Amino acid sequence: MKDYELTITKFLQRAVELFDHKEIVTKQRDGSVHRYTYGDAYERICQLAHALDDYGLDSGDRVSVMAVNHFRHYELYFGPSCSGRSIHTTNHRLPEHHLTEIINEAEDRILFVDPEFVETVESVADTLETVELYVVLDDEVPETTLEPVTDYESFIEGYDTEYDWPELDENREFALCYTSGTTGLPKGVQYVHRRMFLHTLVHGHVDVFGVGERDTVMPVVPMFHVNGWGFPYTATFYGSKLVLPGQHTAPAEIAEFIHAEDVTVAAAVPTIWIEMDAYLESTSDDLLDPLDRVLTGGSAPPASLMQKFEEVYEAPIYQGYGMTEASPHLANTFETAEMQGLEAETRYELKRKAGIPAPGARIRLRDDDGNPVPHDGESKGEIHARSPWLLDGYFKRPEANQRSFSDDGWFKTGDIGTIDEFGYLDIVDRIDDAIKSGGEWISSVELENALIDADGVAEAAVVSVPHAKWQERPVAYVVVEDPDIDEEELRTYLLSKFPKWWLPDVFRFVEEIPKTTTHKFNKKHLRDKFVQEHGELPLHH
Amino acid sequence: MKDYELTITKFLQRAVELFDHKEIVTKQRDGSVHRYTYGDAYERICQLAHALDDYGLDSGDRVSVMAVNHFRHYELYFGPSCSGRSIHTTNHRLPEHHLTEIINEAEDRILFVDPEFVETVESVADTLETVELYVVLDDEVPETTLEPVTDYESFIEGYDTEYDWPELDENREFALCYTSGTTGLPKGVQYVHRRMFLHTLVHGHVDVFGVGERDTVMPVVPMFHVNGWGFPYTATFYGSKLVLPGQHTAPAEIAEFIHAEDVTVAAAVPTIWIEMDAYLESTSDDLLDPLDRVLTGGSAPPASLMQKFEEVYEAPIYQGYGMTEASPHLANTFETAEMQGLEAETRYELKRKAGIPAPGARIRLRDDDGNPVPHDGESKGEIHARSPWLLDGYFKRPEANQRSFSDDGWFKTGDIGTIDEFGYLDIVDRIDDAIKSGGEWISSVELENALIDADGVAEAAVVSVPHAKWQERPVAYVVVEDPDIDEEELRTYLLSKFPKWWLPDVFRFVEEIPKTTTHKFNKKHLRDKFVQEHGELPLHH
């Protein structure tokens, strides 16, 4: 007899069998609130699966979804996957040539898109080779050049509200997500059912995020970022009330939604919580009252923010460390028995770190030659990870796989870290030159290549500098051959190739760019010098 | 590349990598306390694995362990299993012919035994066909007829304290445990690594038992009962301090140990907590002060006890429902958002039930014809279960497997239950006639067969009646052909075949035994009549 497969269909079944009365609440485009239950959602997920059958979407085929966090996006998390297909969540903020590449590579046959991203899709539609149908996530189709096109409500309307879900192999792909962390084009990570099952069990662990049925969970993190860090799945499996903020992610909107819907757990990158703190400073409301804890990740928040959230807002911040490749969770902060006896300052310094590997995950540090690095809190090494919910290779990227795994099967994260005597991991640097701005990756190498291609530019280096709100922002160092070239010209040029948020905050025109002994740009030197002179870029830069 | 296998070796690795300073504390035979760390235990577990290699125990071979809960038993939970062998935990309370059968069937090659059970093993040693070596769990060998024999400390002494653990297939057996729940000889359940990995993740879930690093865990439940309900594994994976009471399980001893070692979570059958309550009534000490929660299972405790533990001892009782076949966990009580608004009485009535299926497990009710039974809190049906950590068949028992699984792959538990509108399962009856006394199974059918075999006995029926301390006890109804036969004679006769605790508390000599329409003994009628006349058997019966 075969073991009961670890599939995400089990999440859906548990929600409908035990928690069909619990709510999923969405802040809609027009600011109104959409409210229904897991039972209601289940019926529409069944309809969606039937609609895909009827359309002729084969088992294993993929659909694209380009959307913010709302109930229709939630339904797309289950309908395709539980019926044997896969969803490819796409990030509307990507440069256009990235979107073209990844949708073609994934061979997506249907593209589901929010009305506000229709224009983005229109601008790449001519280059999409496999998309046969566009479905706008609304109850009507807006003015658009996309074709053929329909709206989501028409697409699922009239189908049966029950569905006979197949018993899927747990090692089957249910989702695909691209990561832009390093140089070159984004790389795809295929998520398989088993790994998300394990990841979700870990999310409910008392030493991880301890998400349970009594929680009301709000993923502010976009659902196109590594499965919304897994929280839509977690909430479903445990029957937690789920609160989806749509595009309403400004601090005031989030704070009010937390207050109105009694949110106990909210997850977002540090940038959101930095802004939230600034916003709360300016109001007298106790809007975060229901909030029990804050989950963050992607980069370390300042220790002062950790202290403020714990002592003033009474919603301690717990950090997660992870990545697209790891579903994403690998490590998290929690207070061990030992830590409970420490002074506040030491505790916050520890909690600012990336934390302790979750049960099942392992972390190690290796030097350039692959030798172990001591766990003394000071020695630095590349972070290697293993876990049963980590990828076993990038989608269609054999050459990246060779670089990304050690001979004994550990994933080389590209992050540089230390591990202290408490077992706490701290992320101190990155091997590549990618820049993480408000939780989104910017490729310094792509920016550099574009700048060097510009007429009259001799050399260019783009470095990451600390930023009070976005955590990191790009700064460009440029050597020009033509003295007439100015910043505005370069900005206009770059805007023709990249989205606005990719553009360097500062351009520095220099005589030459310092090199390392191996004749590479010495970006570390540039970054250190910039920080020494300017500190971090201020909030309103 | 292969996925990272879900093996119990990962538990050990996590403990030694992150929590090697945390303690394992044992109350020893002489009442003294043995105290060491996960780091110390790891070194001895490595030595044990080397000793097994050196002995020539092949991959896949089994060892028997007959022991109470102590650190050497703990080491045996990992040394054999993580090096590719399996441990067969045996219950010293079993009738001798059961011990012979199961040890021979399991083909155990080494038998590890506590000094106090050496006599038990001696009495069956002549019948054991595969055991080659006896290892007494002590630092010396007592007077014994067993041979060849050594002591545990000599067995592991001098070996290397590091071991290169193999990457095992997660579907490989790591332990074997027999269940005596139903009629006939005990049936073996093979535990495979993957299932215990999942079971252990579930134990740490905030809606299950939420066991974490800050907990101090005391399994009072014997480690030969379904892996000590999994708690030694759970404590190891999460680095919880582990407290093992040895044979010191009297209420006063447990209470004092809880107090001395700051135990936050203790797990035992209801009998223990009923006795504990009686003991605490007689003392003025606040011995349970450190205790945060009590985990129980095997049968439902009285609602009054639930209330007392929550309100007086401030250590609420959480119930688990499970069985040897399920590793054992299937369902547990926890307060859902909905329940928190209920009145105390309703809450305790709910918490007395078996609870809600753990994430990953599913429960359904079926009538005699296999049709669904409504979840209305009243309709009764046989409980069917599925979970990724449930057995896929008994060890060497094809005929039992046919009976025990539905056509669509669900395990038929043999328990009768109801499910209410909160999704709470309640166990109301059993299909077979087994008796569960203080957490241990007694086979009514074996007692009946023995009685009928006795000279001068015409008919005999053994029924389960409620007991204030042991939850259930056997009562025998006997029809004699020879009027001279008396209770004492039957007691003496049964004692030659069964352990003392199997003997019926009451013998009733009757003219005839009532039959059902299908000419079976009407045990339900006998039991109901007995309870009507006598109520439950009192504490000191």
Side-chain angles (χ1 to χ4, degrees), chain B residues 136-156:
Chain B
V136 180
L137 293 165
D138 203 351
D139 54 7
E140 57 182 11
V141 177
E143 274 282 313
T144 176
T145 59
L146 296 176
E147 65 163 9
V149 64
T150 186
D151 66 274
Y152 183 82
E153 295 304 323
S154 304
F155 186 70
I156 68 168

Side-chain angles (χ1 to χ4, degrees), chain B residues 139-327:
Chain B
D139 54 7
E140 57 182 11
V141 177
E143 274 282 313
T144 176
T145 59
L146 296 176
E147 65 163 9
V149 64
T150 186
D151 66 274
Y152 183 82
E153 295 304 323
S154 304
F155 186 70
I156 68 168
E157 192 181 3
Y159 287 105
D160 194 355
T161 55
E162 283 292 334
Y163 191 90
D164 188 16
W165 303 105
E167 263 291 335
L168 301 170
D169 184 320
E170 66 187 34
N171 290 307
R172 183 187 186 107
E173 176 190 318
F174 74 91
L176 175 70
C177 186
Y178 279 80
T179 174
S180 319
T182 49
T183 57
L185 282 173
K187 298 191 291 293
V189 177
Q190 292 171 283
Y191 297 116
V192 302
H193 284 269
R194 164 190 167 103
R195 294 185 197 146
M196 186 47 63
F197 190 99
L198 293 165
H199 187 272
T200 304
L201 276 186
V202 164
H203 255 192
H205 195 284
V206 70
D207 287 342
V208 181
F209 294 147
V211 176
E213 189 271 344
R214 283 177 305 225
D215 276 315
T216 295
V217 178
M218 179 163 76
V220 181
V221 54
M223 287 167 69
F224 52 78
H225 268 184
V226 212
N227 316 306
W229 292 352
F231 286 104
Y233 296 118
T234 302
T236 305
F237 204 17
Y238 309 141
S240 324
K241 178 178 168 185
L242 181 61
V243 176
L244 301 171
Q247 56 271 86
H248 305 281
T249 58
E253 293 171 310
I254 296 202
E256 276 153 28
F257 212 28
I258 287 171
H259 188 73
E261 298 298 334
D262 287 325
V263 171
T264 62
V265 184
V269 290
T271 299
I272 299 276
W273 305 113
I274 292 167
E275 287 189 309
M276 176 68 78
D277 180 41
Y279 168 72
L280 292 173
E281 285 283 347
S282 72
T283 76
S284 60
D285 287 331
D286 294 330
L287 289 171
L288 300 193
D289 268 358
L291 203 61
D292 179 58
R293 58 209 189 276
V294 160
L295 310 179
T296 190
S299 49
S304 59
L305 192 79
M306 310 281 300
Q307 184 157 7
K308 187 91 172 280
F309 267 79
E310 181 157 333
E311 295 176 8
V312 178
Y313 306 129
E314 293 177 347
I317 296 178
Y318 294 94
Q319 284 232 69
Y321 167 65
M323 55 205 65
T324 305
E325 289 85 344
S327 301

Side-chain angles (χ1 to χ4, degrees), chain B residues 9-74:
Chain B
T9 311
K10 307 303 192 290
F11 304 170
L12 199 57
Q13 280 168 335
R14 190 166 191 265
V16 76
E17 284 173 3
L18 295 171
F19 307 112
D20 61 342
H21 58 287
K22 301 291 294 284
E23 284 182 326
I24 300 171
V25 183
T26 299
K27 182 74 72 81
Q28 300 190 100
R29 200 163 296 110
D30 63 3
S32 68
V33 170
H34 177 276
R35 192 180 294 277
Y36 71 170
T37 66
Y38 281 103
D40 300 328
Y42 181 78
E43 296 192 348
R44 287 166 53 88
I45 288 166
C46 291
Q47 292 183 303
L48 172 58
H50 284 297
L52 297 173
D53 289 350
D54 204 33
Y55 176 79
L57 196 75
D58 292 331
S59 181
D61 282 354
R62 295 190 189 88
V63 301
S64 278
V65 182
M66 192 184 291
V68 296
N69 299 6
H70 53 59
F71 68 97
R72 292 188 184 99
H73 198 168
Y74 172 82

Side-chain angles (χ1 to χ4, degrees), chain B residues 277-478:
Chain B
D277 180 41
Y279 168 72
L280 292 173
E281 285 283 347
S282 72
T283 76
S284 60
D285 287 331
D286 294 330
L287 289 171
L288 300 193
D289 268 358
L291 203 61
D292 179 58
R293 58 209 189 276
V294 160
L295 310 179
T296 190
S299 49
S304 59
L305 192 79
M306 310 281 300
Q307 184 157 7
K308 187 91 172 280
F309 267 79
E310 181 157 333
E311 295 176 8
V312 178
Y313 306 129
E314 293 177 347
I317 296 178
Y318 294 94
Q319 284 232 69
Y321 167 65
M323 55 205 65
T324 305
E325 289 85 344
S327 301
H329 195 89
L330 280 178
N332 62 278
T333 53
F334 74 94
E335 282 202 11
T336 62
E338 203 174 4
M339 281 171 63
Q340 291 186 306
L342 301 176
E343 290 192 7
E345 200 179 333
T346 318
R347 281 200 309 113
Y348 289 117
E349 202 44 52
L350 275 169
K351 291 175 81 171
R352 197 198 53 73
K353 296 188 176 185
I356 286 177
R362 290 173 78 192
I363 293 286
R364 71 182 188 190
L365 302 179
R366 287 293 182 266
D367 68 16
D368 292 346
D369 302 321
N371 299 315
V373 169
H375 295 188
D376 56 12
E378 300 201 348
S379 304
K380 294 174 188 174
E382 185 179 6
I383 300 165
H384 289 195
R386 287 210 82 166
S387 106
W389 53 89
L390 215 143
L391 88 169
D392 58 358
Y394 292 102
F395 182 53
K396 299 183 181 174
R397 292 284 197 287
E399 71 299 340
N401 293 342
Q402 256 185 335
R403 274 199 315 276
S404 304
F405 291 91
S406 72
D407 291 342
D408 56 348
W410 291 62
F411 177 64
K412 295 153 80 174
T413 65
D415 290 326
I416 306 292
T418 63
I419 296 178
D420 65 24
E421 79 260 35
F422 299 99
Y424 259 67
L425 175 72
D426 195 16
I427 315 300
V428 296
D429 206 350
R430 265 198 303 276
I431 286 178
D432 65 44
D433 300 313
I435 297 148
K436 198 163 201 178
S437 165
E440 298 278 5
W441 291 107
I442 295 172
S443 167
S444 57
V445 174
E446 283 206 59
L447 285 171
E448 286 164 5
N449 289 345
L451 284 169
I452 292 165
D453 278 351
D455 286 340
V457 171
E459 280 185 348
V462 176
V463 301
S464 170
V465 302
H467 187 280
K469 173 175 162 188
W470 301 111
Q471 304 264 299
E472 294 177 29
R473 287 296 302 160
V475 165
Y477 287 82
V478 184

Side-chain angles (χ1 to χ4, degrees), chain A residues 17 194 207 213 337 362, chain B residues 3 17 170 207 213 337 362:
Chain A
E17 284 173 4
R194 165 191 167 102
D207 287 342
E213 189 271 341
R362 291 173 80 192
Chain B
D3 259 23
E17 284 173 3
E170 66 187 34
D207 287 342
E213 189 271 344
R362 290 173 78 192

